[in-house]
Amino acid sequence: MNIDLYTIQLATTTVTIVAGVMFILDTFLRRTDAAGRVWAVSFMAGIMASFAYAAWVVVPGAWWAVAVGNAAIVLSPALLWSGARAYNGRPHLAWIGVLGSAAAATAVLGAGPRGGDWAGAAVMFALIATFGVLGAIESLRAPMHENWTARGLTVIFLVVALFYAARTAVFLLRGPDDPFFATFLGTEASAFVIISLVIVTLASLLILQGERVPRMPGRGDIALLYNSDAVLNDELFREIVDDWLERANFHDEQLVFMRVELDEWDALNTAFGRSVGSKLQGEFTAAVRRFSSPHSNIGTAGPGALVVVGPYVRVEQAALNAEAIQVGLRENRIEAAQGIRLSASIGLAGTDRYGYDFDRLMDAATDAASSAREGGGDAIVLAE
């Protein structure tokens, strides 16, 4: 049984709008978070694409709506990938998604009114497949891949990549009128895939964001600046540390980024439940705050991860502080988790080697922490 184009578009538009509004409202009710903001714009792009394609279906001769729809639907997975980068503490690179979106629109506009229903389709398909691959790769990086919810996001990205890669290949080889393309890769099939993925994506991102960013407290509450464990939120942390870096650069003094990641966080959270997981997170944060230098600032870097930035003449001095943090964690038995002792993998990166760029230092410290974790955990690694 064939479903008419109007019904297909109505179903897709309805699901996209409902999912988008839910995620945007959830983001609004939480403290600002770079990953959440980028993901919210991704849903906005999806809503825009739905309205554009609806206009194309309803309004005769609205070929321009295809350009808007193609641009928006490319921007949506691109920003999902960008948000995943922000979640992992890396530069979001959203401008790449904007360029891809512009390319998709240009392909349609270049074809003009005579381009037909499938104008610019090959370019759009290829771009979506590319951002699907990039998203899958990013979801496998730390710290995102340590969260079980991110595995669903990995599957989503892979399905998008494979489906749109297949659409690109068959479209170029056989054309849109080919029976195989029309049956398995055409508008009806893509609508079913999009609706399914939007629902799963919404669930995955809501859980990821819920674990990363608590609900926003009342106006004027000091928690607007700090999270529930008195650690700076990511936006304020960056603002303060950027100022530190600028002044340290002027005075030719060194700052060291110390990324502290709780070992086996995902496994502990799964084994003992979220209530105990919250206690573990609190004990972990308290130990890092207690044993870090009193001259340092501490920011959140996702579930079970913190970043400490402080002035040290040499990176080796920061390594001694990192050892003190590890000792403090080991000496603290968590009775709620059957008396286990916590441990942490710590990566260090100093301005003497990596300069005074915030993102470069964060990346170096993150990579060093990943190396420490891959080596068995409870280790300290200096970024090379």
Side-chain angles (χ1 to χ4, degrees), residues 225-227 230-237 240-241 297-301:
L225 305 180
Y226 295 88
N227 71 10
V231 173
L232 291 168
N233 67 44
D234 62 342
E235 186 172 27
L236 185 61
F237 176 72
I240 290 174
V241 174
N297 267 310
I298 305 173
T300 181

Side-chain angles (χ1 to χ4, degrees), residues 1-8 179 181-184 186-189:
M1 181 180 68
N2 292 326
I3 305 176
D4 64 89
L5 189 58
Y6 296 95
T7 304
I8 293 172
F181 181 89
T183 302
F184 299 103
T187 303
E188 293 181 10

